Amino acid sequence: MTGGARSPREASLDVIQRELTAFARRARAAAARVHPELPLVSYTLLAHIEESHGCRATDLAAHYLLDKSTVSRQLAGLEKLGFVERRPAPDDHRVQVLHATETGTKVLASARTNRQAAYQERLKDWSAEDLAHFAAYLLRYNDAGTNGLPAHPAT
């Protein structure tokens, strides 16, 4: 294209990028309101640990494409709060498996209830059809994984 004109596809991609960034920022802020000591990354890790009925730190790093040091810092915070504990793996006692504690499970349940109420309120005027389309698009987007993303961000 000449003269800096952008295609409708490029314009749409710009809007999607901007709105997903805004969505992520709102999600972080909302998570902080739900539990001030449980930031979004910690909440996500705790939820994964609980839903998996235990997992290793390396599993979390791989699943969420996070650096091991980031996961380690978040887990240290969750352990300090008493939300997560480490137990030896039944098949290999050298391996530590993370489990949500009773306190962690309670905090997570409360946070989920609050998050669900917030989504219910925010989307109350959406039709069932619009919600189904939105859910399908989010699933499709997330199923694409990291395809198309550069291996290393541009500096």
Side-chain angles (χ1 to χ4, degrees):
M1 303 223 152
T2 59
R6 295 177 341 149
S7 72
R9 181 177 177 82
E10 290 172 319
S12 292
L13 289 172
D14 284 346
V15 169
I16 290 166
Q17 184 276 327
R18 183 182 67 239
E19 294 303 316
L20 284 175
T21 300
F23 176 85
R25 287 185 179 143
R26 281 193 303 274
R28 279 189 205 94
R33 286 192 304 275
V34 168
H35 194 289
E37 295 176 296
L38 193 60
L40 185 60
V41 172
S42 295
Y43 169 86
T44 304
L45 297 179
L46 180 58
H48 187 93
I49 292 165
E50 196 248 353
E51 290 164 8
S52 300
H53 305 288
C55 66
R56 299 172 305 152
T58 55
D59 298 330
L60 291 169
H63 183 78
Y64 290 106
L65 304 174
L66 293 170
D67 185 82
K68 290 178 187 177
S69 65
T70 300
V71 171
S72 180
R73 279 191 305 277
Q74 295 295 327
L75 292 174
L78 289 170
E79 286 179 291
K80 183 177 179 182
L81 291 167
F83 298 164
V84 169
E85 64 185 5
R86 295 175 191 262
R87 298 183 207 150
D91 57 338
D92 185 349
H93 291 284
R94 295 171 297 171
V95 176
Q96 294 290 305
V97 178
L98 301 156
H99 292 274
T101 63
E102 185 177 333
T103 302
T105 300
K106 287 178 183 176
V107 166
L108 196 55
S110 174
R112 280 186 180 131
T113 299
N114 291 341
R115 289 168 63 92
Q116 183 71 18
Y119 280 115
Q120 289 282 359
E121 178 60 28
R122 187 172 192 101
L123 301 171
K124 68 182 177 189
D125 295 330
W126 289 39
S127 70
E129 183 180 8
D130 284 346
L131 289 172
H133 286 299
F134 187 48
Y137 290 145
L138 286 172
L139 285 169
R140 183 176 169 191
Y141 177 80
N142 284 328
D143 283 345
T146 59
N147 293 341
L149 293 177
H152 302 285
T155 54

